[in-house]
Amino acid sequence: MTRGEMVFGALQAGLEGETGVSIIFFDFEGSDEMTPIRGTGTAELTEDGSLEVEISIHHGDEIQLKAHRW
């Protein structure tokens, strides 16, 4: 079990997840602009070195991010 935190804009949450070789699957619980939220997500390191993140808020938004090194 892996634990951590994420902050994205006004969203703040604690994470618990399981890791693989290049991916983490996680559940989170926290708040977004003082509204309680929970959901699931993944973060994967791709072959080109970028990081692809998908976040799904229960009864809410789905967020997709892709980060590259500069």
Side-chain angles (χ1 to χ4, degrees), residues 1-2 4 7-8 14 17 20 25 32 35-36 50 52 54 57 67:
M1 176 77 57
T2 300
V7 177
F8 182 73
F25 300 92
D32 186 12
T35 301
S50 63
E52 293 183 354
E54 293 184 10
I57 300 171

Side-chain angles (χ1 to χ4, degrees), residues 4-69:
E5 297 178 346
M6 72 173 167
V7 177
F8 182 73
L11 184 151
Q12 297 181 349
L15 307 172
E16 289 187 354
E18 298 293 329
T19 60
V21 174
S22 62
I23 192 167
I24 181 170
F25 300 92
F26 59 88
D27 297 318
F28 64 88
E29 191 169 329
S31 65
D32 186 12
E33 295 184 354
M34 305 296 286
T35 301
I37 59 166
R38 62 186 170 96
T40 61
T42 61
E44 181 176 12
L45 184 60
T46 64
E47 289 185 17
D48 69 0
S50 63
L51 181 67
E52 293 183 354
V53 180
E54 293 184 10
I55 300 170
S56 179
I57 300 171
H58 186 65
H59 295 298
D61 294 331
E62 292 188 7
I63 302 165
Q64 295 181 346
L65 307 167
K66 187 168 187 174
H68 299 275
R69 287 193 174 195

